[in-house]
PDB file of all heavy atoms in Angstrom:
ATOM      1  N   CYS A  67     148.377  57.773  37.578  1.00  0.00           N
ATOM      2  CA  CYS A  67     149.599  56.983  37.619  1.00  0.00           C
ATOM      3  C   CYS A  67     149.434  55.799  38.561  1.00  0.00           C
ATOM      4  O   CYS A  67     148.842  55.928  39.640  1.00  0.00           O
ATOM      5  CB  CYS A  67     150.767  57.839  38.085  1.00  0.00           C
ATOM      6  SG  CYS A  67     151.101  59.277  37.037  1.00  0.00           S
ATOM      7  N   ALA A  68     149.965  54.659  38.148  1.00  0.00           N
ATOM      8  CA  ALA A  68     149.890  53.443  38.968  1.00  0.00           C
ATOM      9  C   ALA A  68     148.456  53.152  39.387  1.00  0.00           C
ATOM     10  O   ALA A  68     148.175  52.800  40.537  1.00  0.00           O
ATOM     11  CB  ALA A  68     150.799  53.560  40.195  1.00  0.00           C
ATOM     12  N   ALA A  69     147.539  53.291  38.440  1.00  0.00           N
ATOM     13  CA  ALA A  69     146.128  52.964  38.668  1.00  0.00           C
ATOM     14  C   ALA A  69     145.534  53.744  39.837  1.00  0.00           C
ATOM     15  O   ALA A  69     144.779  53.201  40.645  1.00  0.00           O
ATOM     16  CB  ALA A  69     145.943  51.462  38.879  1.00  0.00           C
ATOM     17  N   PHE A  70     145.888  55.025  39.936  1.00  0.00           N
ATOM     18  CA  PHE A  70     145.356  55.951  40.948  1.00  0.00           C
ATOM     19  C   PHE A  70     145.862  55.670  42.364  1.00  0.00           C
ATOM     20  O   PHE A  70     145.430  56.329  43.311  1.00  0.00           O
ATOM     21  CB  PHE A  70     143.816  55.934  40.969  1.00  0.00           C
ATOM     22  CG  PHE A  70     143.169  56.385  39.691  1.00  0.00           C
ATOM     23  CD1 PHE A  70     142.644  55.467  38.795  1.00  0.00           C
ATOM     24  CD2 PHE A  70     143.055  57.733  39.386  1.00  0.00           C
ATOM     25  CE1 PHE A  70     142.021  55.885  37.621  1.00  0.00           C
ATOM     26  CE2 PHE A  70     142.436  58.162  38.214  1.00  0.00           C
ATOM     27  CZ  PHE A  70     141.914  57.234  37.330  1.00  0.00           C
ATOM     28  N   HIS A  71     146.770  54.728  42.550  1.00  0.00           N
ATOM     29  CA  HIS A  71     147.170  54.352  43.903  1.00  0.00           C
ATOM     30  C   HIS A  71     147.841  55.481  44.693  1.00  0.00           C
ATOM     31  O   HIS A  71     147.586  55.598  45.904  1.00  0.00           O
ATOM     32  CB  HIS A  71     148.077  53.121  43.864  1.00  0.00           C
ATOM     33  CG  HIS A  71     147.324  51.837  43.806  1.00  0.00           C
ATOM     34  ND1 HIS A  71     147.266  51.054  42.677  1.00  0.00           N
ATOM     35  CD2 HIS A  71     146.574  51.200  44.742  1.00  0.00           C
ATOM     36  CE1 HIS A  71     146.521  49.981  42.922  1.00  0.00           C
ATOM     37  NE2 HIS A  71     146.087  50.058  44.149  1.00  0.00           N
ATOM     38  N   PRO A  72     148.716  56.302  44.096  1.00  0.00           N
ATOM     39  CA  PRO A  72     149.299  57.386  44.897  1.00  0.00           C
ATOM     40  C   PRO A  72     148.236  58.313  45.493  1.00  0.00           C
ATOM     41  O   PRO A  72     148.321  58.693  46.669  1.00  0.00           O
ATOM     42  CB  PRO A  72     150.191  58.126  43.894  1.00  0.00           C
ATOM     43  CG  PRO A  72     150.549  57.090  42.884  1.00  0.00           C
ATOM     44  CD  PRO A  72     149.327  56.242  42.752  1.00  0.00           C
ATOM     45  N   LEU A  73     147.246  58.669  44.684  1.00  0.00           N
ATOM     46  CA  LEU A  73     146.170  59.531  45.158  1.00  0.00           C
ATOM     47  C   LEU A  73     145.377  58.847  46.264  1.00  0.00           C
ATOM     48  O   LEU A  73     144.992  59.473  47.271  1.00  0.00           O
ATOM     49  CB  LEU A  73     145.257  59.903  43.991  1.00  0.00           C
ATOM     50  CG  LEU A  73     144.085  60.842  44.280  1.00  0.00           C
ATOM     51  CD1 LEU A  73     144.577  62.163  44.860  1.00  0.00           C
ATOM     52  CD2 LEU A  73     143.288  61.088  42.995  1.00  0.00           C
ATOM     53  N   ILE A  74     145.124  57.550  46.106  1.00  0.00           N
ATOM     54  CA  ILE A  74     144.385  56.798  47.121  1.00  0.00           C
ATOM     55  C   ILE A  74     145.172  56.760  48.433  1.00  0.00           C
ATOM     56  O   ILE A  74     144.613  56.964  49.513  1.00  0.00           O
ATOM     57  CB  ILE A  74     144.083  55.372  46.616  1.00  0.00           C
ATOM     58  CG1 ILE A  74     143.082  55.435  45.452  1.00  0.00           C
ATOM     59  CG2 ILE A  74     143.537  54.488  47.733  1.00  0.00           C
ATOM     60  CD1 ILE A  74     142.902  54.121  44.720  1.00  0.00           C
ATOM     61  N   HIS A  75     146.480  56.511  48.353  1.00  0.00           N
ATOM     62  CA  HIS A  75     147.306  56.496  49.561  1.00  0.00           C
ATOM     63  C   HIS A  75     147.206  57.828  50.294  1.00  0.00           C
ATOM     64  O   HIS A  75     147.041  57.857  51.527  1.00  0.00           O
ATOM     65  CB  HIS A  75     148.768  56.219  49.193  1.00  0.00           C
ATOM     66  CG  HIS A  75     149.102  54.780  49.054  1.00  0.00           C
ATOM     67  ND1 HIS A  75     149.919  54.104  49.929  1.00  0.00           N
ATOM     68  CD2 HIS A  75     148.723  53.861  48.133  1.00  0.00           C
ATOM     69  CE1 HIS A  75     150.029  52.839  49.554  1.00  0.00           C
ATOM     70  NE2 HIS A  75     149.318  52.671  48.463  1.00  0.00           N
ATOM     71  N   MET A  76     147.327  58.927  49.554  1.00  0.00           N
ATOM     72  CA  MET A  76     147.281  60.240  50.198  1.00  0.00           C
ATOM     73  C   MET A  76     145.919  60.518  50.809  1.00  0.00           C
ATOM     74  O   MET A  76     145.809  60.972  51.957  1.00  0.00           O
ATOM     75  CB  MET A  76     147.624  61.335  49.186  1.00  0.00           C
ATOM     76  CG  MET A  76     149.090  61.581  49.021  1.00  0.00           C
ATOM     77  SD  MET A  76     149.395  63.145  48.178  1.00  0.00           S
ATOM     78  CE  MET A  76     148.540  62.859  46.641  1.00  0.00           C
ATOM     79  N   GLY A  77     144.859  60.288  50.043  1.00  0.00           N
ATOM     80  CA  GLY A  77     143.520  60.611  50.516  1.00  0.00           C
ATOM     81  C   GLY A  77     143.127  59.819  51.737  1.00  0.00           C
ATOM     82  O   GLY A  77     142.618  60.376  52.725  1.00  0.00           O
ATOM     83  N   TYR A  78     143.363  58.512  51.704  1.00  0.00           N
ATOM     84  CA  TYR A  78     143.000  57.692  52.856  1.00  0.00           C
ATOM     85  C   TYR A  78     143.931  57.964  54.029  1.00  0.00           C
ATOM     86  O   TYR A  78     143.537  57.848  55.196  1.00  0.00           O
ATOM     87  CB  TYR A  78     142.992  56.212  52.472  1.00  0.00           C
ATOM     88  CG  TYR A  78     141.738  55.801  51.743  1.00  0.00           C
ATOM     89  CD1 TYR A  78     141.591  56.036  50.376  1.00  0.00           C
ATOM     90  CD2 TYR A  78     140.689  55.186  52.416  1.00  0.00           C
ATOM     91  CE1 TYR A  78     140.439  55.677  49.706  1.00  0.00           C
ATOM     92  CE2 TYR A  78     139.534  54.814  51.752  1.00  0.00           C
ATOM     93  CZ  TYR A  78     139.406  55.067  50.391  1.00  0.00           C
ATOM     94  OH  TYR A  78     138.254  54.718  49.726  1.00  0.00           O
ATOM     95  N   GLY A  79     145.191  58.349  53.738  1.00  0.00           N
ATOM     96  CA  GLY A  79     146.093  58.748  54.802  1.00  0.00           C
ATOM     97  C   GLY A  79     145.609  60.002  55.513  1.00  0.00           C
ATOM     98  O   GLY A  79     145.666  60.100  56.747  1.00  0.00           O
ATOM     99  N   LEU A  80     145.118  60.971  54.755  1.00  0.00           N
ATOM    100  CA  LEU A  80     144.571  62.190  55.350  1.00  0.00           C
ATOM    101  C   LEU A  80     143.323  61.876  56.162  1.00  0.00           C
ATOM    102  O   LEU A  80     143.129  62.412  57.254  1.00  0.00           O
ATOM    103  CB  LEU A  80     144.259  63.209  54.259  1.00  0.00           C
ATOM    104  CG  LEU A  80     145.470  63.870  53.599  1.00  0.00           C
ATOM    105  CD1 LEU A  80     145.069  64.597  52.316  1.00  0.00           C
ATOM    106  CD2 LEU A  80     146.133  64.848  54.569  1.00  0.00           C
ATOM    107  N   MET A  81     142.490  61.004  55.615  1.00  0.00           N
ATOM    108  CA  MET A  81     141.262  60.634  56.322  1.00  0.00           C
ATOM    109  C   MET A  81     141.597  59.950  57.654  1.00  0.00           C
ATOM    110  O   MET A  81     140.919  60.157  58.664  1.00  0.00           O
ATOM    111  CB  MET A  81     140.419  59.710  55.446  1.00  0.00           C
ATOM    112  CG  MET A  81     139.091  59.305  56.038  1.00  0.00           C
ATOM    113  SD  MET A  81     138.142  58.278  54.889  1.00  0.00           S
ATOM    114  CE  MET A  81     139.237  56.884  54.668  1.00  0.00           C
ATOM    115  N   ALA A  82     142.679  59.146  57.669  1.00  0.00           N
ATOM    116  CA  ALA A  82     143.075  58.409  58.876  1.00  0.00           C
ATOM    117  C   ALA A  82     144.047  59.202  59.742  1.00  0.00           C
ATOM    118  O   ALA A  82     144.514  58.687  60.762  1.00  0.00           O
ATOM    119  CB  ALA A  82     143.713  57.081  58.477  1.00  0.00           C
ATOM    120  N   ASP A  83     144.380  60.426  59.331  1.00  0.00           N
ATOM    121  CA  ASP A  83     145.308  61.272  60.075  1.00  0.00           C
ATOM    122  C   ASP A  83     146.669  60.590  60.236  1.00  0.00           C
ATOM    123  O   ASP A  83     147.282  60.610  61.306  1.00  0.00           O
ATOM    124  CB  ASP A  83     144.732  61.623  61.454  1.00  0.00           C
ATOM    125  CG  ASP A  83     145.484  62.769  62.124  1.00  0.00           C
ATOM    126  OD1 ASP A  83     146.054  63.610  61.402  1.00  0.00           O
ATOM    127  OD2 ASP A  83     145.516  62.815  63.363  1.00  0.00           O
TER     128      ASP A  83
END
Side-chain angles (χ1 to χ4, degrees):
C67 301
F70 298 102
H71 276 108
L73 182 58
I74 292 170
H75 276 249
M76 275 195 301
Y78 281 81
L80 288 166
M81 183 177 60
D83 194 28

